[in-house]
Amino acid sequence: TQELAAACPFNPNKPAEYRREDGLAPPPGFAVDPPSDTTGASTLSELGSTAKAAEPALPGENRNRGELERVRADSTGQGLTTNQGVPVANNQHSLKAGARGPALLKDFILREKLTHFDHERIPERIVHARGSGAHGFFECYAPLTELTRASLFAEAGKRTPVFVRFSTVQGERGSKDTPRDVRGFAVKFYTDEGNWDLVGNNMPVFFIQDAMKFPDLVHAVKPEPHHAMPQAASAHDTFWDFVSLMPESTHMLMWLMSDRAIPRSYRTMQGFGVHTFRLVNADGEAVLVKFHWTPKLGVHSLVWDEAVKISGADPDYNRRDLWEAIEAGEFPEWELGIQVFSEADAERFSFDVLDATKLIPEELVPVQPVGRLVLNRNPDNFFAETEQVAFCTAHVVPGIDFTNDPLLAGRIHSYVDTQLLRLGGPNFHEIPINAPVVPVHNNQRDGFHRQTINRGRVSYEPNSLAGGCPFQQGMAGFVSFPEPVEDVELRVHPERFAEHFNQATLFWNSQSPVEQRHIIQAYAFELSKVTVPAIRARMLSLLRNVDEGLAQAVADGIGTALPEPAPRALAKPPKPEVTVSARLSIAAFPGEGGARTRKVAIFVADGVDAEAVRGLQAALFAAGAVARLVGPRIGPFADGGGGEGVDADASFENEPGPLFDAVAVPAGVLEALKTDGRAAEFLQNQFRHNKPMLAVGDGNALLEGAGILRDPDDFALVAEDEWDDELPARFIAAIARHRNYAREKDPPLV
Ligand code: HDD
């Protein structure tokens, strides 16, 4: 063996070639000792890891980090080379025949550089093109072995590395972060029995029941094909034309028109697996399950006017927020919860659990927490990681299985298929961000961009020449749940799929008055952008089946008379078990975040009370908030009392009001800012978007000048004549409550 090893120089970048374990050892004569390494590791996963497998991961440590080490490149202190490793002498000029002569074809350095550049782009995702990702880990709270043999749920405290990608759906890769849209919430778990992808959204239901309709849905919502408008928006004819003809979309549309569609941050949105999946234990017993992600910071949203303004001021608003929080060590966290129920329970429900337009009210099946997800590391390279990550619903691990949801069935095909095109071939699993942390052994070979150097002459099974390896693993492998199937082939829906309005009404009934108002406003806005009256009328006729008050309010909002209600597919719809569910309102998820990571503007200008600014800044910092000094320009400003001045980090122009969660106007800035329309506009936006505001001394006059009057009933408007040391605490308490929606008037006051 040693002789063979000496004869075959190995590539230390490919330790996987040398993995040997009991039972997996190649037959005599084919074995090569693993390369010696300083870590003493014998598997790829150990070799790549910064920590030994036996040691528990430290809080915040990402085991996946080490896996990627072999492909990381850091050019610090390195000389420039071509892709062939040839040192480059001159990176400024092409090779020419004479200083003013023609460029020469033999300039392989120029040609390699331009060719690579010409091929830099890959097709963007047809949906969810715009996204942001991060690394982290999932930690299991307690063993779930009774329910599932999935190894990530095997023991308390067990950590599994993850990569998560959040996304919008409609817009293209370079579009904005804050459209009214569904958000993707896709999690890749690198488990020690292979990769599991939970490819979910921030809403628990979907537009359609059958994958057959997905291309139609996407064609309808995407920019219209003749003029490629609108970008990152659903407010256009083709989308509403389609959904107004698809009553099954009604429930999802309620979510899409709600504040869930304009999250304040990826860190403050829920996630859902949407479909009913199956958990299978080591004895082959199965239960049905729905997956829920709940953000520790609570669920918080923008308001529409704010989302529109943010899209101009900072199209990367959510991407930046996620990046900055992780860079600052404020690692976002979600709790994974599961709803577990049996086939017998499912039979009893008034709806079908295979219908992705339905959720299971928590009153029927409670959500039990099973673990937490922590995102603690930003990608090193957006393209290599966030763009090339390939999520596939087909990626499940032993212990997790599918159900017969017809939407899921299409997805199991579609995601793998799209990666073949997007990532250029069948070896996308070898791209480091997609590679499992366990070794891969099978007889699949070749194809575009193959990285693995498979050894030996055997690429088939059964074989005797390789001792039967790699051998099938029987019950130790993935065993599909043996669901009985006995029926005729049909293109139909089951009966319970035909009821489309009960849960739309449930959602409506469960919203707070503010949330209901926002839903009405969103419908009125979107339908006002629809140019064909018949489409608007069809939508109103569907809304009459959800709630008469809702339909009337939307009709009033677009100045239309109510049409007849849409006919229902079922003459006698089933009676829903639950008609109000508190857990469907955002109000049920205030979170534990307080003021942490909230971005607060403190106005500064010449004459400012610099000491108060510093006091407030320190208090906000202590509460975990991010305080920025914002002035008419960046740079230094003089203290009103002649003391040490302050430096503005941002200007009214480069970081306008909608980018902040709260604003403070200290004493002393009135003279400098009273004729500055940008300051007034900043304050008006803060007020209109219901955000906490603090004004001290003549700062109050600046608010008055902007049309904002003191109101003792407004807890988020902290206004005092004199600075006192209690003020920061009151302000911070208001920030922790996110917004004062009671302030909101329709139409807005300012
Ligand atoms: Fe999908 C991407 C979520 C239905 C076909 N989908 C994609 C992503 C998310 C979802 C989060 C982005 C993954 C990433 O960040 O790379 N999709 C959903 C959810 C659905 C759903 C929660 C309903 C429950 N999707 C759905 C259906 C089909 C697809 C019914 C097709 C039959 N989805 C795709 C796709 C995408 C995709 C075309 C585009 C890029 C990709 O897969 O990797 O295959």
Side-chain angles (χ1 to χ4, degrees), residues 560-572:
T560 311
L562 272 185
E564 287 300 306
R568 292 172 188 255
L570 293 182
K572 277 188 75 185

Side-chain angles (χ1 to χ4, degrees), residues 599-651:
K599 216 171 143 187
V600 185
I602 306 177
F603 273 19
V604 293
D606 281 335
V608 68
D609 178 353
E611 203 183 318
V613 169
R614 278 188 279 273
L616 184 58
Q617 214 178 1
L620 287 165
F621 183 72
V626 181
R628 307 266 288 163
L629 308 192
V630 186
R633 54 155 173 75
I634 61 165
F637 289 100
D639 174 41
E644 192 191 337
V646 289
D647 250 31
D649 315 294
S651 70

Side-chain angles (χ1 to χ4, degrees), residues 1-8 33:
T1 309
Q2 275 169 1
E3 264 170 36
L4 253 171
C8 307
D33 278 343

Side-chain angles (χ1 to χ4, degrees), residues 125-126 128 165 200-201 206 214 275 391 407 411 415 419:
R125 291 165 174 84
I126 165 94
H128 297 266
R165 185 173 179 272
N201 280 340
F206 202 62
F214 190 70
H275 308 284
F391 293 94
L407 193 72
R411 295 183 74 194
Y415 288 73
Q419 313 307 349

Side-chain angles (χ1 to χ4, degrees), residues 520-521 523-530 533 536-537 540 550-563:
I520 294 166
Q521 289 168 340
Y523 267 112
F525 171 84
E526 297 267 318
L527 295 183
S528 75
K529 293 277 194 179
V530 168
R536 287 187 230 134
L540 290 172
L550 164 67
Q552 186 63 59
V554 176
D556 292 347
I558 55 173
T560 311
L562 272 185

Side-chain angles (χ1 to χ4, degrees), residues 250-262:
T250 312
H251 184 198
M252 179 65 165
L253 288 173
M254 297 295 294
W255 286 82
L256 185 66
M257 293 301 107
S258 80
D259 291 350
R260 298 299 216 294
I262 37 174

Side-chain angles (χ1 to χ4, degrees), residues 509-574:
N509 289 343
S510 309
Q511 301 299 289
S512 68
V514 177
E515 288 171 297
Q516 290 190 339
R517 184 166 64 229
H518 290 173
I519 291 171
I520 294 166
Q521 289 168 340
Y523 267 112
F525 171 84
E526 297 267 318
L527 295 183
S528 75
K529 293 277 194 179
V530 168
T531 64
V532 181
I535 298 176
R536 287 187 230 134
R538 271 205 304 271
M539 269 322 298
L540 290 172
S541 73
L542 287 168
L543 288 183
R544 288 194 69 177
N545 291 345
V546 178
D547 183 272
E548 286 289 355
L550 164 67
Q552 186 63 59
V554 176
D556 292 347
I558 55 173
T560 311
L562 272 185
E564 287 300 306
R568 292 172 188 255
L570 293 182
K572 277 188 75 185

